[in-house]
Amino acid sequence: KRARRPKPCSLREMEVTVSELGLGYESDETLLFRYCSGKCTGHRRNYDITMDHMRRTGFRKKGRKDKVSNGPCCRPIAYEEDISFLDNRSRYHTIQDVSAQACGCV
Amino acid sequence: MILINIISLMFLLDVCVCVSELGPPGWREPLDCVRASELCNQNSQCSSRYRIMRQCLSGGDKERSTMLASKECQGALEVLQDSPLYDCRCKRGMKKELQCLQNYWSIHMGLTEGEEFYETSPYEPIHFSEEFRHASIISDSSLSKVTPCSEGGKSCNPCLDAAKACNLNDTCKRQRSAYIAICTKATPPQSSLANQEPCSRKRCQKALRQFFERVSWELSYPLLFCSCHDQACAERRRQTIVPACSHQERHKPTCIELRRTCRSDALCRSRLADFHMNCQVTSHTVTSCPHDNYHGCLMAYVGLIGSDVTPNYSDSSPSNITISLWCTCRGTGNQEHECDAFHRDFTHNTCLKNAIQAFGYGSEGGPLTVTEPQATFFPPAQPPIISKPAPSLHGNAIKPMDSACVFSTCANLQDGGQKCIPSEDFECEEALLAQGSINSQDTDGVKSSAQKSAPPFHHICATVSVSILAKLLL
């Protein structure tokens, strides 16, 4: 089996109905849901390398049990504008910050 | 890849349109009224009369008619009737549209001050090249993703499909969300006003006009003219323009008042005149529409949305379509006859009804109330500019909402028409779906994969259409 090169952090999209968003709205209207996914290995800073090392050594020595994330994370850095839709009871709703517009390793 | 094809196709079509405008002898594009008034201003005699004319029209309703009757105003009109301003026209959605319309009415209001019931539309007639361009794009548009449901499909809702198609297009989604957000936003509560409006009507109507101007008709019309088999669907169709804000009002005016309000505004007056001209029921044609031009009527109808006379479906009946304005003729006394005549052009308009049904249901499928031949969806409004016959483009090929096959002119051409015999349209639909799913199912790196797996289908489509064009132009 050939090793796959990890895909970098990027914007992906899929078609979902509003109901499937899990926000409690019931509507069969279909939207394009955009999200962020991919590896952020190329974006590690000294902070991440140090943190990784500290978690394994320094923290234990000093008795710390803090949770820290292991490296930069692929997250939306901008969201799409408001999305409006008509629900199954013929009422309009407008929702914000549902779909990603740009991704970054933060 | 698909996009590039579409763009290049549009570019090519644009070129063709320009060529055809130059081409035919004996037919001249009417001058636009902005240009006409510029020309008039270059001539000292014309410009002075034009200035006088504008003063004649500056007063209020009553003042105006006495002014217009005066010798000076009549003299000015006489001169201006020989100027380029007299038969200038405006283009829909042109730059400086409002200025153009104001220029138009500055002459024509004087000519028709006798309160003519129907006025001449200041807009150019919808001519062949324009429709041709529209029709051709259908084959490539995202509409082909919408699968019109066969009778008895368990969750058949073409209006929902239209919403989906809009949501999947960034411009359409943005513009739709914009008007919905504005039209459903409550005005800030003011305790002093007991009867405040639920929303900002003016802003809502402006956003609606913008939506229909900026979004291509292939995406906006299906939202408004989708065909329905049940009430849920019809209610969605009725809700398209957010009628609670854009259509209804707390106070229901008489239709006479409504018409007067509309006529005092250059844009509304123009759109109304355009509606009357393009949707006027006529007994001379099979479809009841002037020149059998459904598209012209739908365009004129859409032009009214967002004006003072915003029409809408009066209820959520799926099959029995009734369009009305938010006004009444009760208590109009001796004007009741005139009032009824005005409102009946909306409520009892066979041309409009047929146009809406033909768009949504196609010529098979739906309940067509009036007999209607197959090949009349995009008939030319004028004698076609292109003189050679173009049977494949006039016939069954161009009927947008007919069936899955008909969406794609190219499907016919590609397969020699084999798959697109109506009885076999399921097969064709499947083929279309299969093409579409290549794009949508691959969730990894959408952008790049879409480019790699661009279906050859669209490519063929574009090239075939172009070669047809080439033939037509020769």
Side-chain angles (χ1 to χ4, degrees):
Chain A
K1 201 175 170 185
R2 206 156 40 135
R4 289 182 76 193
R5 186 180 291 173
K7 286 204 171 121
C9 174
S10 63
L11 197 62
R12 322 268 165 102
E13 58 188 28
M14 71 196 246
E15 293 175 16
V16 293
T17 68
V18 173
S19 301
E20 287 168 339
L21 292 173
L23 294 170
Y25 297 104
E26 274 183 45
S27 171
D28 295 330
E29 226 173 87
T30 305
L31 303 172
L32 201 58
F33 172 64
R34 295 197 169 101
Y35 61 99
C36 297
S37 176
K39 289 263 188 279
C40 283
T41 34
H43 291 77
R44 278 168 38 118
R45 292 158 190 267
N46 282 339
Y47 170 84
D48 299 299
I49 299 163
T50 305
M51 210 53 185
D52 200 30
H53 180 72
M54 292 296 275
R55 205 171 39 145
R56 277 183 274 119
T57 58
F59 271 34
R60 196 179 299 151
K61 221 186 288 175
K62 303 248 159 90
R64 298 255 169 132
K65 285 178 178 167
D66 296 357
K67 292 253 191 264
V68 291
S69 66
N70 53 348
C73 195
C74 183
R75 290 277 303 163
I77 50 172
Y79 293 91
E80 277 184 45
E81 285 171 77
D82 302 358
I83 299 172
S84 299
F85 61 90
L86 188 69
D87 73 13
N88 291 349
R89 291 164 66 207
S90 295
R91 280 195 212 143
Y92 279 111
H93 300 279
T94 301
I95 48 179
Q96 283 109 23
D97 296 351
V98 187
S99 190
Q101 194 180 48
C103 304
C105 292
V106 289
Chain B
M1 184 78 157
I2 308 169
L3 194 72
I4 292 169
N5 274 327
I6 294 173
I7 289 169
S8 60
L9 179 59
M10 278 164 73
F11 174 73
L12 277 164
L13 284 165
D14 265 342
V15 172
C16 304
V17 169
C18 304
V19 171
S20 68
E21 273 168 9
L22 294 174
W27 190 77
R28 211 157 37 93
E29 184 122 331
L31 201 61
D32 90 61
C33 301
V34 178
R35 184 87 192 93
S37 75
E38 279 168 16
L39 284 178
C40 176
N41 283 329
Q42 284 165 17
N43 175 311
S44 62
Q45 199 204 13
C46 188
S47 75
S48 72
R49 299 302 147 96
Y50 190 32
R51 220 174 306 129
I52 294 171
M53 197 59 220
R54 273 182 298 201
Q55 278 168 3
C56 297
L57 294 170
S58 58
D61 272 348
K62 278 191 185 146
E63 228 177 294
R64 191 188 299 151
S65 37
T66 38
M67 280 283 270
L68 277 170
S70 74
K71 220 178 221 169
E72 271 173 320
C73 294
Q74 284 301 312
L77 251 187
E78 237 165 73
V79 173
L80 290 174
Q81 282 191 38
D82 293 327
S83 77
L85 276 163
Y86 179 63
D87 40 25
C88 67
R89 288 285 184 277
C90 302
K91 285 194 173 79
R92 294 163 188 79
M94 68 186 279
K95 235 194 266 175
K96 299 186 187 168
E97 182 178 345
L98 192 61
Q99 195 195 328
C100 182
L101 295 172
Q102 279 161 347
N103 290 343
Y104 175 89
W105 289 113
S106 65
I107 299 247
H108 291 259
M109 207 146 66
L111 294 169
T112 61
E113 194 50 29
E115 280 293 302
E116 266 179 44
F117 197 75
Y118 298 121
E119 298 181 302
T120 312
S121 168
Y123 289 107
E124 286 184 339
I126 299 148
H127 48 81
F128 186 57
S129 57
E130 198 174 346
E131 291 162 45
F132 176 58
R133 183 159 55 166
H134 284 167
S136 306
I137 293 171
I138 290 170
S139 56
D140 258 315
S141 76
S142 45
L143 251 188
S144 54
K145 282 182 198 150
V146 181
T147 49
C149 38
S150 50
E151 307 280 336
K154 60 176 191 292
S155 57
C156 165
N157 188 336
C159 299
L160 200 56
D161 294 339
K164 177 180 175 180
C166 177
N167 284 337
L168 296 184
N169 175 293
D170 277 332
T171 310
C172 191
K173 181 188 67 184
R174 204 173 340 109
Q175 293 290 335
R176 176 170 178 253
S177 293
Y179 83 71
I180 291 172
I182 291 169
C183 298
T184 55
K185 192 174 165 194
T187 47
Q190 287 164 299
S191 51
S192 56
L193 293 167
N195 57 343
Q196 77 181 88
E197 293 294 328
C199 65
S200 169
R201 191 177 159 82
K202 283 279 163 247
R203 288 189 60 215
C204 168
Q205 293 188 332
K206 191 179 174 197
L208 272 169
R209 289 202 303 270
Q210 223 166 60
F211 172 80
F212 286 107
E213 267 164 35
R214 296 187 183 170
V215 174
S216 75
W217 71 275
E218 295 102 308
L219 290 170
S220 61
Y221 285 27
L223 283 169
L224 200 55
F225 304 124
C226 40
S227 64
C228 285
H229 300 286
D230 60 41
Q231 208 182 338
C233 171
E235 178 58 16
R236 172 173 276 278
R237 178 173 64 190
R238 194 183 75 83
Q239 290 286 350
T240 303
I241 61 166
V242 200
C245 183
S246 68
H247 176 71
Q248 291 152 328
E249 258 183 306
R250 196 168 290 248
H251 160 72
K252 199 171 198 173
T254 67
C255 300
I256 297 282
E257 278 169 356
L258 192 65
R259 178 160 164 261
R260 199 175 297 142
T261 315
C262 178
R263 284 217 179 180
S264 64
D265 172 75
L267 185 72
C268 189
R269 186 176 196 155
S270 308
R271 301 288 169 93
L272 187 62
D274 199 45
F275 173 77
H276 282 144
M277 202 143 153
N278 286 294
C279 295
Q280 194 56 251
V281 176
T282 162
S283 51
H284 304 301
T285 59
V286 200
T287 58
S288 306
C289 287
H291 309 286
D292 281 329
N293 185 354
Y294 278 159
H295 196 62
C297 178
L298 293 183
M299 259 179 100
Y301 175 86
V302 168
L304 286 175
I305 292 171
S307 73
D308 289 316
V309 284
T310 295
N312 198 27
Y313 299 90
S314 61
D315 53 41
S316 48
S317 155
S319 52
N320 186 18
I321 292 172
T322 313
I323 301 292
S324 68
L325 298 175
W326 188 254
C327 66
T328 173
C329 284
R330 228 174 274 158
T332 44
N334 59 352
Q335 286 181 301
E336 192 166 343
H337 181 72
E338 192 187 341
C339 184
D340 275 335
F342 174 69
H343 201 201
R344 281 177 71 88
D345 280 333
F346 292 88
T347 55
H348 293 75
N349 188 325
T350 356
C351 162
L352 177 61
K353 224 181 267 190
N354 284 343
I356 292 175
Q357 292 197 331
F359 186 89
Y361 295 87
S363 53
E364 21 200 358
L368 264 186
T369 44
V370 175
T371 53
E372 199 262 303
Q374 290 234 325
T376 46
F377 192 78
F378 286 109
Q382 294 190 334
I385 293 161
I386 300 167
S387 55
K388 288 195 178 180
S392 64
L393 292 163
H394 265 296
N396 297 331
I398 316 165
K399 269 180 292 162
M401 299 298 277
D402 202 344
S403 70
C405 296
V406 181
F407 283 131
S408 42
T409 314
C410 43
N412 281 323
L413 298 163
Q414 189 189 7
D415 307 324
Q418 287 305 305
K419 281 188 181 172
C420 270
I421 301 160
S423 60
E424 285 177 59
D425 58 358
F426 180 62
E427 199 184 341
C428 175
E429 193 173 312
E430 261 190 337
L432 268 172
L433 281 173
Q435 298 284 3
S437 62
I438 297 171
N439 289 333
S440 55
Q441 275 178 5
D442 189 351
T443 47
D444 270 9
V446 179
K447 292 275 146 66
S448 59
S449 74
Q451 281 182 355
K452 264 183 281 169
S453 64
F457 187 72
H458 290 273
H459 183 70
I460 291 167
C461 181
T463 43
V464 169
S465 311
V466 170
S467 62
I468 285 183
L469 268 173
K471 270 187 195 155
L472 283 174
L473 288 166
L474 287 175

